Amino acid sequence: PAAAMKRAAEERDVRSPVKQSRSGSSGASASSSALLAAAASSVVAELLAHAPALAAPPPRKVWGLDRLVLDDRCGEASVREALLAGGSSLLEPPVPGRPCAEKFLTDAPILSLPGGIGQGFAVAVGLSIGQEHMTASYKQPGFELFNHRVFVLCRSGALLPCVTSEAASLAGHLRLASLVAIACDDRLGGGKGLAQRYASYGWSVDELDISTPEALRAALAKTRVAEAPTLLLLRGIPQGESAAQEEACREAVRLGTSQAKAWAELFRKFGEQNREAHTELVRRFADGKLPDNWRDDLPEYTVGERAQATRQYSAKVLASLVTAIPEMVGGSADLTGSNLTNQAQLKDFQHKRQAGRYLRFGVREHGMLGICTGLSAYGCFIPFCSTFMNFFTYGWGAIRLACAARAHVIYVATHDSIELGEDGPTHQPIEVLAACRALPNLLTIRPADGPETVGAYTLAVQSVGRPVLIALCRNGTPHLQGADSAKVAKGGYILEDFDPALSPLVVLASSGTEVALCIEVRAALQAIGIGVRVVSMPCWELFEEQPAEYRRAVFEHPRDGTPLPAGMRPLRTYVEASSTLGFSRYSDLAIGMTTFGASADGKTVRKFFGFEKLAVATKVMEALKDRGHVLSYRLGRFGLARFSPPICAAAAE
């Protein structure tokens, strides 16, 4: 029987689209033996028989039925074959060469997720948190709309990585009884110690021999009344007739379709008795609209107010939004007091208090990021999560999956540069901004002051299908004349333009804290006759989406009549306390970081690395000398500049 099962699995593997195209990952069968694929086939048949709602044909239009996640596409070929045999289908996952469907995460009853082992497991934990929250929020006698379970199918080796351990330990702490993990043995799973480890997390662990289907059937039945998350560790070689499995799949599709219709009818009756709650659920799940008047209480900032850090401006904006938008659910990785993500005093989500909307993730950055993708996949949440910017790299795989799967997640990244100071190089993000800007389908927004922080969040809550990372500073930065929350949507805009009486020689561009520095540098340069434009660049990705004419106008073309020789353009200078990688797109002169940071107070660190007015102004003037635009100069109170003859002639004309 083992040989027969192996041959059948190999034939199935050969027929898979991935195998035929000779590219991509085919999930379990590609990453372990053919016997593992055979086990997945048997498990899928039993699981569909136990939870037929999973087999209902997509797209998913009812929101309270079971969900299944295939971690690292484990068993995808078996699931696809079973669904096709029953007359249903599997929504294709986001893989290279096949773009993700716009609503893949929310429309698929069965989520087959790439991204490496463990990522799908964390997503399943997020789905389970979503289920528990919705049950607690909308449960009424006779209407258990969200009384369903979340299954995740994985290899036993997927239970080992950091992301799985973090997500699983939180699931155990929260006692997510709706969560069922089914792990097929790949002989990499750690033996007895693995079961003990998950039991210590607070899981109910059952080790099964699946040579006959009865053991798995009984174990699945027990999960209906579980009081904690369940882990089924499967070993052995399954036996069974393929013809019988195909008939079971057809029956599962029929029952799943029937269950979907029954849920829709239950929801209709719910609406007859609870019109307001019904309308709210339709708004959140189906319409995709934010509540009316959600902008009404956003804070307003004016020039001259006391300077604060953008993380403090963020605290007020986020508090306003979570109060007005009930679908916003999130938390911090043990840094709430520093990230300032619960100024609205949301109640914690905990066991027996699942209606709470604030999650205490603990020191679980990777798990947190994957869980938020799962909350987004539930279909009625806008999740947000936060830690120091440097620590987002702990969960880079989860961020990549969120971007590929078009999740709607807001990442609140505080302490975004070397001005973090005393914590030193380990905490100071040098390369992280560049990495974020390089990641496809991620908006990275680094606001310069209060109005731009409002603009960043305004975009983020509306960015369906595109995760947003908001980078926020630790220390104070003033509100800037000309800053505009609406113009953040353009990605970059002119904050202060050239003085028409001066030669337009320099464009200073920056984001975040360094925009205020550029304003100071502009004043120092204009005092000696250098015309300077300051450009705020909160989001490179949005700027690149603007028309070419607009982008040229921001950086290249001074207004008509300005005194500059024909064919000469201003010196474009980009200033930012991060890696200079990518600056060349917008600059002739890059002023940034090429080393790790240092441990000292923020002001001392910025001075040491040259992020102060005179240091930046000197670099700009030296570049103008190298271009031949300036012959000599002196900065300071009695400063002056001697211009080249072409500049003088153009100015005189």
Side-chain angles (χ1 to χ4, degrees):
M5 294 297 286
K6 182 176 180 179
R7 284 195 298 273
E10 288 171 343
E11 291 173 4
R12 183 186 301 108
D13 194 31
V14 169
R15 293 197 303 270
S16 75
V18 169
K19 204 72 171 181
Q20 291 176 4
S21 65
R22 296 183 180 181
S23 65
S25 167
S26 58
S29 55
S31 52
S32 59
S33 68
L35 288 177
L36 178 57
S41 178
S42 177
V43 170
V44 166
E46 288 297 328
L47 184 55
L48 294 182
H50 172 76
L54 298 172
R60 168 178 163 267
K61 297 300 182 185
V62 295
W63 315 306
L65 300 183
D66 294 338
R67 301 290 294 273
L68 168 63
V69 179
L70 305 179
D71 179 77
D72 198 30
R73 304 175 68 194
C74 179
E76 181 188 302
S78 300
V79 171
R80 181 184 289 106
E81 189 171 283
L83 293 177
L84 289 175
S88 185
S89 61
L90 178 72
L91 284 183
E92 296 297 340
V95 295
R98 184 170 62 209
C100 179
E102 183 176 354
K103 295 185 177 181
F104 165 75
L105 279 179
T106 56
D107 281 358
I110 300 177
L111 286 171
S112 181
L113 295 177
I117 57 175
Q119 298 296 342
F121 192 104
V123 169
V125 174
L127 286 168
S128 183
I129 290 173
Q131 181 274 329
E132 299 270 4
H133 175 80
M134 294 303 288
T135 296
S137 301
Y138 287 94
K139 184 177 181 180
Q140 297 185 20
F143 295 104
E144 294 188 350
L145 295 173
F146 299 99
N147 185 25
H148 68 87
R149 283 165 300 157
V150 176
F151 300 91
V152 55
L153 180 61
C154 64
R155 305 190 285 134
S156 58
L159 301 175
L160 298 174
C162 171
V163 60
T164 318
S165 301
E166 292 181 6
S169 63
L170 184 60
H173 167 71
L174 297 174
R175 299 188 67 80
L176 301 178
S178 63
L179 180 61
V180 181
I182 305 171
C184 299
D185 184 23
D186 62 359
R187 298 172 187 174
L188 299 174
K192 274 288 182 184
L194 189 64
Q196 295 170 352
R197 176 170 157 187
Y198 275 74
S200 74
Y201 291 157
W203 285 61
S204 173
V205 181
D206 207 346
E207 298 184 77
L208 307 172
D209 184 340
I210 58 169
S211 55
T212 58
E214 286 76 14
L216 178 57
R217 210 167 290 163
L220 287 171
K222 283 169 55 180
T223 65
R224 296 186 188 277
V225 293
E227 297 182 353
T230 301
L231 172 61
L232 304 180
L233 289 170
L234 310 185
R235 295 182 173 85
I237 301 172
Q239 311 294 323
E241 296 293 332
S242 59
Q245 289 180 359
E246 288 186 11
E247 178 57 35
C249 292
R250 283 191 289 271
E251 179 65 8
V253 172
R254 186 187 68 78
L255 289 174
T257 304
S258 176
Q259 287 183 8
K261 292 178 180 178
W263 191 93
E265 177 63 17
L266 178 68
F267 186 60
R268 185 189 66 78
K269 292 179 179 178
F270 173 80
E272 292 175 353
Q273 299 184 27
N274 306 273
R275 182 164 298 179
E276 185 176 339
H278 182 275
T279 300
E280 175 70 359
L281 287 171
V282 170
R283 179 191 69 79
R284 289 175 59 171
F285 276 102
D287 294 345
K289 298 178 180 178
L290 295 172
D292 295 335
N293 306 319
W294 63 272
R295 302 172 188 255
D296 286 359
D297 293 325
L298 286 171
E300 296 182 358
Y301 299 102
T302 57
V303 175
E305 288 183 8
R306 183 171 68 91
Q308 293 183 299
T310 50
R311 66 185 174 119
Q312 292 172 302
Y313 303 142
S314 162
K316 297 176 183 177
V317 180
L318 186 57
S320 169
L321 290 174
V322 299
T323 302
I325 305 174
E327 54 264 46
M328 291 191 72
V329 175
S332 168
D334 203 41
L335 286 169
T336 297
S338 295
N339 303 144
L340 306 178
T341 42
N342 196 21
Q343 300 300 293
Q345 300 297 309
L346 296 178
K347 292 183 179 180
D348 288 355
F349 178 99
Q350 292 290 351
H351 177 52
K352 296 187 178 179
R353 296 202 306 273
Q354 294 96 332
R357 291 164 53 202
Y358 196 77
L359 289 155
R360 304 281 178 175
F361 288 104
V363 188
R364 299 182 178 96
E365 290 86 357
H366 203 167
M368 171 183 74
L369 295 165
I371 287 168
C372 283
T373 300
L375 283 165
S376 175
Y378 201 84
C380 66
F381 296 107
I382 303 175
F384 64 91
C385 58
S386 185
T387 185
F388 287 5
M389 187 161 186
N390 213 35
F391 300 158
F392 273 95
T393 56
Y394 287 170
W396 196 248
I399 297 176
R400 294 186 83 251
L401 177 59
C403 294
R406 302 170 66 100
H408 188 184
V409 182
I410 301 172
Y411 304 122
V412 182
T414 67
H415 299 67
D416 67 351
S417 79
I418 58 170
E419 71 174 359
L420 172 58
E422 291 86 350
D423 287 334
T426 57
H427 288 53
Q428 295 167 3
I430 302 299
E431 79 291 357
V432 182
L433 264 177
C436 291
R437 288 165 175 161
L439 189 54
N441 200 42
L442 177 68
L443 288 183
T444 303
I445 307 178
R446 189 173 183 241
D449 65 355
E452 286 198 358
T453 304
V454 172
Y457 274 102
T458 300
L459 288 170
V461 296
Q462 300 178 90
S463 183
V464 179
R466 196 172 190 182
V468 176
L469 184 140
I470 303 176
L472 303 164
C473 70
R474 176 196 185 188
N475 297 334
T477 188
H479 303 302
L480 304 174
Q481 189 72 45
D484 190 335
S485 61
K487 289 183 179 179
V488 174
K490 291 185 174 293
Y493 63 98
I494 298 172
L495 190 67
E496 292 197 1
D497 210 347
F498 296 113
D499 184 331
L502 302 176
S503 296
L505 293 179
V506 178
V507 175
L508 291 174
S510 188
S511 74
T513 315
E514 288 77 53
V515 177
L517 171 61
C518 288
I519 297 293
E520 295 178 4
V521 174
R522 177 180 186 267
L525 294 178
Q526 294 208 148
I528 61 172
I530 307 295
V532 181
R533 170 186 288 171
V534 175
V535 174
S536 179
M537 290 283 290
C539 184
W540 289 16
E541 298 85 3
L542 291 175
F543 185 73
E544 287 299 315
E545 293 173 5
Q546 304 309 307
E549 183 179 354
Y550 174 81
R551 287 183 276 126
R552 282 196 301 270
V554 168
F555 276 96
E556 299 290 346
H557 298 291
R559 293 172 180 171
D560 293 340
T562 52
L564 196 67
M568 185 180 293
R569 70 178 190 182
L571 173 73
R572 301 175 306 156
T573 304
Y574 197 91
V575 183
E576 197 172 74
S578 66
S579 168
T580 58
L581 187 66
F583 286 14
S584 59
R585 186 184 301 179
Y586 308 116
S587 71
D588 308 301
L589 172 63
I591 300 177
M593 293 292 296
T594 57
T595 67
F596 288 107
S599 181
D601 65 90
K603 184 177 180 180
T604 300
V605 171
R606 292 181 69 84
K607 182 177 181 179
F608 179 80
F609 287 107
F611 291 95
E612 60 174 1
K613 177 177 64 176
L614 289 180
V616 173
T618 299
K619 290 180 180 179
V620 171
M621 292 305 297
E622 288 298 317
L624 290 175
K625 279 185 67 178
D626 291 343
R627 280 188 161 201
H629 297 171
V630 172
L631 302 179
S632 63
Y633 70 92
R634 182 173 66 241
L635 292 168
R637 184 177 178 184
F638 302 105
L640 57 86
R642 290 179 58 233
F643 296 100
S644 66
I647 298 291
C648 292
E653 183 181 348

